[in-house]
């Protein structure tokens, strides 16, 4: 039986993943967890999301095959099985167990949606959910088609995310080990050793987005009042377990490993016929000009097949902004990012510098070919003339300028990356230059 839930968190605290552990705490006493619990990030450009726009999906039944430890809740180990028998729990029984948990834990301003189903929705629903904005009516039609049961609170908008998360069939995936604080410490300052996180990042090659080596900053500890202590992301479950032992933090009350679509770039649309705001695209174009605006942000205009587009690189992306300072008119780039509606900007997540144009700078006024003297300017835009020989020239002496930019991929520091954005580390790519405090 598949169970999916969304929209239970708030900017004030709580989080959907913590609710997933509460559901597991109840249901795992009566039935088995089949496969890892799933944390599915959906369209990051949705205007009304609280934080990471995540939904949760789990499968319960009677397990068979390999048994794998996936977490611990209040000292009780949680396992998952690689497959299930034909036995299916009753929908009403699961709803009776889960709804009180949701009522107790959801935030008052959340619009929770819960779906329980023997069948998964069509996988196309996931791709629509991660790349577009769906109407609730379209999702409800699919819920009815598969014969699923649902529960809603508030306006029930969470039904959309729950259905899209349940529909996910991974083409690519990663893992995240999330640890949770005792409830008495929620909202207080987190206590941890940054150097232990640096050590985990250095000795566990499959982990990502936990430590920013360039600026020596932690990227895996949230700053919100939510229950999470930290989230360690990677591709190897054994390395995540090692990381939990390496990282020194305040005591944790529970932990859980989730299968996720984080770091997959699933949200990026390629080759779109038109650009619609509140979606994320890969767009190529030719640089026109860049400018700085208040707040430390950089805006860059580029000409594309869709017309002129403004690319935004904002202050939280830190040294990533310097890339745009070093681009010049005529350079060609590809940009991955969210198209904001107002102001209409393509907010850069990653940039591929495709071509760097040659630039020339003036060395001196031209030299007279007759007498060897340096010519004099006869006025702005009017050229040059030799006072002695009266010969003329239109342009000065130039030489090829040194460009502090190279072709290749560039990305923001780890703390400024989106959950879904695939780190260059995972592609085996390194930026040809790193702009750290303008040291290149």
């Amino acid at each position: 039986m598949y169970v999916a839930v969304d929209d239970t968190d708030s900017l004030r605290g709580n989080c959907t993943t913590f609710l997933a552990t509460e559901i597991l705490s109840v249901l795992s006493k009566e039935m088995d967890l089949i496969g890892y619990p799933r944390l599915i990030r959906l369209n990051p450009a949705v205007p009304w999301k609280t934080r990471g726009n995540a939904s949760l999906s789990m499968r319960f039944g009677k397990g068979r095959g390999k048994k794998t430890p996936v977490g611990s809740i209040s000292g009780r180990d949680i396992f998952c099985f690689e497959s299930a028998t034909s036995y299916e729990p009753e929908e009403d029984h699961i709803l009776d167990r889960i709804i009180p948990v949701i009522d107790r834990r959801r935030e008052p301003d959340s619009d929770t949606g819960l779906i329980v189903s023997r069948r998964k929705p069509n996988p196309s629903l996931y791709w629509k959910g991660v790349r577009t904005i769906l109407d609730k009516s379209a999702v409800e039609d699919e819920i009815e088609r598969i014969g699923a049961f649902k529960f809603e609170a508030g306006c029930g908008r969470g039904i959309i995310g729950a259905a899209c998360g349940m529909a996910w069939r991974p083409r690519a995936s990663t893992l995240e080990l999330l640890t949770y604080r005792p409830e008495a410490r929620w909202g207080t300052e987190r206590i941890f050793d940054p150097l232990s996180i640096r050590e985990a990042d250095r000795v566990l090659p499959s982990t990502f987005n936990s430590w920013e080596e360039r600026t020596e900053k932690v990227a895996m500890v949230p700053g919100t009042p939510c229950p999470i202590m930290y989230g360690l992301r990677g591709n190897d479950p054994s390395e995540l377990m090692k990381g939990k032992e390496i990282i020194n933090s305040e005591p944790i009350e529970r932990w859980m490993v989730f299968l996720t679509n984080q770091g997959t770039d699933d949200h990026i649309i390629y080759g779109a016929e038109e650009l619609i705001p509140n979606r994320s695209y890969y767009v190529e174009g030719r640089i026109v000009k860049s400018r700085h605006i208040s707040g430390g942000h950089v805006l860059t205009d580029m000409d594309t097949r869709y017309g002129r587009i403004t690319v935004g690189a904002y202050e939280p992306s830190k040294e990533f902004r310097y890339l745009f300072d070093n681009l010049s008119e005529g350079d060609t780039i590809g940009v991955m990012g969210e198209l904001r509606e107002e102001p209409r900007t393509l907010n850069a997540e990653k940039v591929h510098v495709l071509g760097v144009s040659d630039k020339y700078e003036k060395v001196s006024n031209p030299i007279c070919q007759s007498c060897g003297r340096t010519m004099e300017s006869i006025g702005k835009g009017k050229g040059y003339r030799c006072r002695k020989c009266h010969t003329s020239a239109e342009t000065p002496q130039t030489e090829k300028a040194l460009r502090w930019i190279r072709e290749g991929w560039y990305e923001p520091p780890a703390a400024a990356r989106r959950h879904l954005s695939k780190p260059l580390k995972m592609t085996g790519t390194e930026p040809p230059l790193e702009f750290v405090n303008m040291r290149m």
Side-chain angles (χ1 to χ4, degrees):
M1 189 68 64
Y2 297 99
V3 174
V5 64
D6 187 29
D7 203 340
T8 61
D9 57 0
S10 162
L11 292 175
R12 296 191 305 273
N14 203 7
C15 71
T16 303
T17 65
F18 179 80
L19 179 67
T21 67
E22 291 283 84
I23 293 172
L24 276 165
S25 179
V26 172
L27 292 187
S28 64
K29 296 175 181 177
E30 304 177 23
M31 54 197 79
D32 297 326
L33 175 66
I34 312 301
Y36 284 99
R38 295 183 171 195
L39 165 61
I40 306 99
R41 301 285 178 181
L42 299 171
N43 184 358
V46 169
W48 51 77
K49 67 181 185 294
T50 48
R51 288 190 292 269
N53 199 20
S55 70
L56 271 296
S57 179
M58 295 168 281
R59 185 184 179 191
F60 293 95
K62 185 171 179 58
R64 64 181 178 184
K66 184 180 178 181
K67 185 179 179 182
T68 302
V70 294
S72 175
I73 300 174
S74 301
R76 184 167 66 89
D77 292 337
I78 305 294
F79 298 88
C80 74
F81 290 82
E82 63 180 345
S83 61
T85 68
S86 59
Y87 164 77
E88 292 281 6
E90 291 297 323
E91 292 95 332
D92 288 345
H93 179 76
I94 289 180
L95 288 167
D96 288 344
R97 295 293 187 274
I98 296 178
I99 290 174
V101 176
I102 292 176
D103 285 338
R104 185 172 68 252
R105 285 295 185 181
R106 66 175 286 269
E107 294 291 329
D109 56 347
S110 61
D111 298 307
T112 303
L114 165 69
I115 299 175
V116 176
S117 177
R118 296 174 186 269
R119 299 169 59 196
K120 299 184 74 170
N122 189 293
S124 65
L125 198 63
Y126 163 72
W127 292 104
K128 292 175 183 176
V130 78
R131 292 180 173 176
T132 72
I133 295 178
L134 284 169
D135 289 330
K136 188 180 174 186
S137 59
V139 171
E140 288 176 327
D141 289 343
E142 180 64 6
I143 292 172
E144 183 177 351
R145 185 189 71 81
I146 63 175
F149 289 70
K150 66 177 182 178
F151 166 80
E152 303 174 47
C155 75
R157 188 164 55 199
I159 287 293
I160 301 172
C164 294
M166 186 183 286
W168 180 47
R169 275 83 158 175
R171 294 180 185 174
S173 62
T174 61
L175 298 165
E176 182 168 15
L177 188 153
L178 285 163
T179 62
Y180 300 87
R181 316 173 74 195
E183 191 163 357
R185 289 198 53 79
W186 294 5
T188 65
E189 183 179 356
R190 292 171 173 84
I191 300 172
F192 61 94
D193 177 12
L195 296 182
S196 69
I197 294 176
R198 181 184 69 178
E199 177 66 14
D201 180 74
R202 289 179 175 179
V203 303
L204 304 174
S206 83
T207 61
F208 62 94
N209 288 359
S210 54
W211 171 263
E212 180 51 61
E213 187 66 34
R214 294 174 291 185
T215 53
E216 297 191 331
K217 291 183 178 179
V218 172
M220 62 183 287
V221 177
T224 60
C226 70
I228 295 172
M229 177 60 224
Y230 64 78
L232 180 61
R233 299 170 188 169
N235 291 306
D236 184 339
S238 65
E239 287 196 359
L240 296 183
M241 297 300 184
K242 291 177 184 176
K244 186 166 67 70
E245 300 305 316
I246 294 172
I247 296 169
N248 294 322
S249 74
E250 63 186 67
I252 58 175
E253 189 269 334
R254 63 184 69 184
W255 61 271
M256 191 66 56
V257 177
F258 293 88
L259 183 72
T260 87
N261 64 342
Q262 296 172 154
T264 62
D265 279 342
D266 275 0
H267 63 310
I268 301 295
I269 301 170
Y270 296 84
E273 291 298 317
E274 63 174 323
L275 300 185
I276 300 172
N278 300 321
R279 302 182 184 187
S280 300
Y281 299 93
Y282 174 75
V283 179
E284 294 181 356
R286 186 177 296 273
I287 297 295
V288 178
K289 62 180 180 180
S290 293
R291 60 195 181 277
H292 286 245
I293 62 173
S294 61
H297 315 309
V298 180
L299 300 180
T300 301
D301 295 330
M302 69 177 189
D303 287 334
T304 76
R305 58 177 286 205
Y306 308 100
R308 185 158 293 182
I309 291 176
T310 298
V311 178
Y314 297 96
E315 191 281 331
S317 67
K318 303 304 179 186
E319 66 269 15
F320 181 61
R321 297 166 295 163
Y322 304 148
L323 163 67
F324 294 90
D325 287 335
N326 284 273
L327 291 169
S328 295
E329 182 179 357
D331 295 344
T332 54
I333 64 173
V335 180
M336 285 185 179
E338 169 196 335
L339 184 65
R340 179 185 291 178
E341 186 166 13
E342 185 60 41
R344 189 179 175 89
T345 53
L346 184 66
N347 298 341
E349 295 176 22
K350 286 198 289 284
V351 172
H352 191 191
V353 177
L354 300 167
V356 178
S357 58
D358 290 337
K359 298 297 176 184
Y360 295 86
E361 55 189 11
K362 179 181 176 180
V363 176
S364 68
N365 288 356
I367 305 299
C368 176
Q369 297 300 310
S370 299
C371 67
R373 291 173 180 266
T374 300
M375 294 185 182
E376 296 179 351
S377 172
I378 57 175
K380 186 175 181 180
K382 296 182 179 179
Y384 304 85
R385 181 178 294 130
C386 176
R387 182 186 293 271
K388 178 181 178 182
C389 305
H390 303 291
T391 55
S392 63
E394 294 183 357
T395 58
Q397 296 279 94
T398 61
E399 67 178 12
K400 190 174 179 180
L402 176 64
R403 297 290 312 279
W404 287 109
I405 194 69
R406 297 289 183 272
E407 294 178 1
W409 281 95
Y410 297 82
E411 67 182 350
R417 295 174 200 158
R418 284 215 141 131
H419 296 293
L420 279 163
S421 186
K422 181 182 288 187
L424 296 183
K425 173 182 177 178
M426 292 176 61
T427 67
T429 303
E430 290 187 11
L433 292 171
E434 292 182 348
F435 302 93
V436 182
N437 298 324
M438 287 307 290
R439 297 194 301 272
M440 296 166 276

